[in-house]
Amino acid sequence: MGANRVTATEPDSRSDATTTVTVRCTGHVRDAVGSHELEFTFDGTRLRDFLEAFFEEYGLEDMLIAETESEATHSGWAPVPDDLPGTWRKNPEGDQTRPYARVCVNGRFNEHLGGFEAELTDGDRVALIYPFMFCC
């Protein structure tokens, strides 16, 4: 996550806290980290704090995080309908993952929990998902 996206623009009193989460890794993330599950302790209480610390240690930012809208959007094979059913949320530009990469907290996509500002507590599960995809 680029310097202007990871660092909070204002000091945050929550940054004095440390949080320990269980990180679950799939696909390419699992290969890069070397494990499918690990405990990770970081300073802060937000998903943004976790990602900043995790990327500093494991250097996976380029694999998971999109810097621009075009990096977050895949051309796909099917057109998107004008009227999508249900409620759809998308993280704002600068706080998005790359196509096929996802970040989940306790089994829910982060954009449904406040994006990278989602609050984390000790014992939460953070899944970093980047599946293997093969073509014939």
Side-chain angles (χ1 to χ4, degrees):
M1 297 174 32
N4 55 347
R5 286 187 300 141
V6 173
T7 306
T9 56
E10 297 177 12
D12 188 344
S13 61
R14 297 170 296 182
S15 63
D16 292 342
T18 60
T19 306
T20 301
V21 296
T22 300
V23 183
R24 296 195 174 151
C25 307
T26 68
H28 295 290
V29 178
R30 183 186 69 220
D31 277 357
V33 170
S35 177
H36 74 282
E37 183 174 297
L38 61 122
E39 297 292 311
F40 190 82
T41 300
F42 62 96
D43 293 330
T45 61
R46 298 172 304 159
L47 180 58
R48 179 179 308 282
D49 302 326
F50 161 77
L51 292 171
E52 178 182 63
F54 195 82
F55 292 155
E56 185 175 315
E57 185 163 334
Y58 291 98
L60 299 175
E61 180 178 358
D62 290 343
M63 179 186 296
L64 295 169
I65 304 301
E67 293 286 335
T68 65
E69 185 71 29
S70 64
E71 288 179 352
T73 307
H74 190 279
S75 59
W77 294 303
V80 177
D82 291 332
D83 188 26
L84 295 170
T87 302
W88 293 80
R89 293 176 183 90
K90 186 174 181 178
N91 286 329
E93 184 170 346
D95 283 352
Q96 296 177 355
T97 57
R98 292 187 175 273
Y100 309 117
R102 299 305 300 256
V103 177
C104 295
V105 176
N106 297 324
R108 296 187 62 203
F109 294 128
N110 72 316
E111 57 266 25
H112 297 291
L113 301 171
F116 292 161
E117 297 303 315
E119 288 290 322
L120 298 177
T121 59
D122 286 332
D124 280 349
R125 296 177 323 273
V126 177
L128 302 175
I129 303 168
Y130 196 115
F132 294 116
M133 293 189 180
F134 298 100
C135 185
C136 38

